[in-house]
Amino acid sequence: MDAVRLILTSRRALAASGDTAQAMTEVWQAQALAQAIGSRLAVSGPPELRGEALGLTELAGRGCGVLDTPELDPGELRAAQLTELGDARQALLHLGGLLGEVGIALVGIACSAPDEGTYWQCMEAIDAADESRDRVLEMLRKLADREQVVPEREAG
C-alpha cells in the first residue's frame, strides 16, 4: 500500500482510539510507519533527503522503543504494508501531520496517565515524535529548495 494511504489510515485510527491502551497502540503504529518511510526514503528517495531520512528512521525507532510493543497480528502492522512511497513530498506532508497528532495524543495520555511509568513513556515518545517531525520538516525544506533550483536552471 502506498505511504499516503497508510498515513491517512493511521490518522483515522489515532483519532478514533478510545482508551489509553488503544491510543498507545496507534502511537506505536505511527512511529513504526514513520520508521519504515524514513528507511524507504534513505534507500530509494531523493539523494538530498537520505541523511535526514536515516535520522528519521533512528528517531522513529526510538519512539517505538520507548513504548510497550503492542500485541498485533501480522496483518495489523501498517509499517509492514508499506509497498511504495509515491510522491515523497505528499508522503512527508502527511507524515508531518500524523507526527503532530501523535504528539498531541501523547500529551493527552500523559496528562491522565494512570501511573508514573506511562507518564514517562509518553514524555520520551513526545520527544521522539517532535524530533521526527523536525526531520520531516527539514526534508520538506530540502525538497522545496530543490524545486527552486530546477526552474532557475531551466530559465538560465
Side-chain angles (χ1 to χ4, degrees):
M1 190 178 301
D2 109 332
V4 171
R5 285 182 56 199
L6 287 168
I7 293 166
L8 293 174
T9 299
S10 284
R11 289 177 91 168
R12 283 190 298 272
L14 181 62
S17 59
D19 61 12
T20 298
Q22 195 176 26
M24 293 291 271
T25 295
E26 292 308 325
V27 164
W28 188 92
Q29 284 262 41
Q31 289 283 23
L33 183 56
Q35 184 179 25
I37 291 170
S39 179
R40 186 69 59 98
L41 280 168
V43 171
S44 61
E48 63 269 29
L49 302 186
R50 292 186 179 159
E52 295 296 331
L54 279 173
L56 172 61
T57 301
E58 291 173 14
L59 290 165
R62 191 181 86 202
C64 287
V66 299
L67 299 170
D68 293 333
T69 304
E71 291 184 30
L72 297 169
D73 291 330
E76 294 178 312
L77 179 59
R78 284 186 209 105
Q81 298 171 25
L82 180 65
T83 57
E84 63 180 282
L85 280 177
D87 179 11
R89 185 176 180 280
Q90 285 301 311
L92 289 169
L93 282 170
H94 287 283
L95 183 59
L98 174 61
L99 290 168
E101 291 168 9
V102 161
I104 291 167
L106 285 164
V107 167
I109 295 166
C111 288
S112 62
D115 57 73
E116 196 171 315
T118 301
Y119 173 82
W120 286 112
Q121 274 187 345
C122 288
M123 290 295 107
E124 290 183 39
I126 289 167
D127 186 45
D130 186 47
E131 289 182 39
S132 294
R133 188 166 185 268
D134 287 347
R135 293 292 173 124
V136 167
L137 294 174
E138 181 61 20
M139 285 187 275
L140 285 167
R141 186 193 63 74
K142 286 182 178 188
L143 284 176
D145 287 350
R146 180 179 75 166
E147 290 170 7
Q148 294 258 325
V149 170
V150 171
E152 289 173 9
R153 286 185 187 157
E154 291 172 358

